[in-house]
Amino acid sequence: KDHIPREFPDFMEKKDKPSYVSQKVIGKMYRRVHVEHQNYVQEVRVIMDTSMLIPGYEEYLADAEVLRKEYNYEVRSIMNQFGIKTESEVVTGCVMQFGKNLLKRKAWDNVQRVRSYFRGLRKEFEEKFEEEFKEQ
């Protein structure tokens, strides 16, 4: 039990564990890339089905945009971790090709890991979305 860390460096992104800001080179590099990544804006054209809109939807747009950016960041993190090229591969679990650094591991193990990560991510964002409506 003495060898189990109580805190993890921030670059490990263990959201369910206590963390600290690592002052080592890898921690500094992580934060620099993390900030630049957050500043990166990808233009995606979304066509909205206006028949699905309800009166007063405008009130929720700002919060929805924040959640969408958080979701995009988390999906891109999974994509980067596994060398996956598209969001649809993450969502469906039908990965066409993993990054070269994952070839040592069996493909099925990687598919299961991607599916597990995405299930957790989807559940997290469903809860965040529904949270606002529970307050009403």
Side-chain angles (χ1 to χ4, degrees), residues 3-4 9 18 28 39 53-54 64 79 89 94 99 114 136:
H3 301 294
I4 299 172
K28 292 176 182 178
N39 292 335
L53 299 177
I54 59 170
M79 291 168 61
E89 291 175 89
C94 297
V114 168
Q136 294 179 359

Side-chain angles (χ1 to χ4, degrees), residues 78-84 89-119:
I78 294 172
M79 291 168 61
N80 291 337
Q81 182 177 353
F82 290 93
I84 298 172
E89 291 175 89
V90 174
V91 171
T92 63
C94 297
V95 180
M96 301 305 289
Q97 183 176 356
F98 287 100
K100 292 178 183 175
N101 60 337
L102 295 172
L103 292 178
K104 296 173 196 153
R105 190 182 285 271
K106 291 182 181 177
W108 182 248
D109 291 341
N110 288 327
V111 167
Q112 293 304 318
R113 289 173 62 206
V114 168
R115 287 179 176 169
S116 175
Y117 289 163
F118 185 73
R119 271 194 305 271

Side-chain angles (χ1 to χ4, degrees), residues 1-132:
K1 288 192 174 191
D2 293 338
H3 301 294
I4 299 172
R6 291 190 173 102
E7 292 182 314
F8 293 86
D10 56 342
F11 62 83
M12 292 184 74
E13 294 187 351
K14 292 190 173 275
K15 293 182 179 183
D16 59 331
K17 308 280 186 197
S19 67
Y20 63 91
V21 177
S22 172
Q23 295 305 315
K24 294 184 179 181
V25 173
I26 192 168
K28 292 176 182 178
M29 288 172 48
Y30 162 78
R31 281 186 298 285
R32 179 158 183 185
V33 169
H34 188 71
V35 167
E36 288 178 15
H37 185 73
Q38 286 181 328
N39 292 335
Y40 173 75
V41 177
Q42 184 177 5
E43 289 294 323
V44 177
R45 188 161 193 262
V46 177
I47 300 171
M48 201 173 0
D49 181 355
T50 56
S51 69
M52 301 291 288
L53 299 177
I54 59 170
Y57 76 92
E58 298 90 351
E59 177 183 341
Y60 301 100
L61 285 178
D63 289 338
E65 187 174 317
V66 169
L67 277 180
R68 179 63 185 184
K69 285 180 182 178
E70 287 178 26
Y71 168 84
N72 286 344
Y73 174 78
E74 295 295 338
V75 169
R76 278 194 299 272
S77 294
I78 294 172
M79 291 168 61
N80 291 337
Q81 182 177 353
F82 290 93
I84 298 172
K85 293 187 177 20
T86 66
E87 178 184 358
S88 60
E89 291 175 89
V90 174
V91 171
T92 63
C94 297
V95 180
M96 301 305 289
Q97 183 176 356
F98 287 100
K100 292 178 183 175
N101 60 337
L102 295 172
L103 292 178
K104 296 173 196 153
R105 190 182 285 271
K106 291 182 181 177
W108 182 248
D109 291 341
N110 288 327
V111 167
Q112 293 304 318
R113 289 173 62 206
V114 168
R115 287 179 176 169
S116 175
Y117 289 163
F118 185 73
R119 271 194 305 271
L121 179 65
R122 186 182 64 219
K123 183 177 181 191
E124 175 186 343
F125 279 88
E126 283 174 356
E127 289 171 359
K128 285 181 178 185
F129 175 78
E130 291 171 357
E131 197 173 282
E132 187 168 354

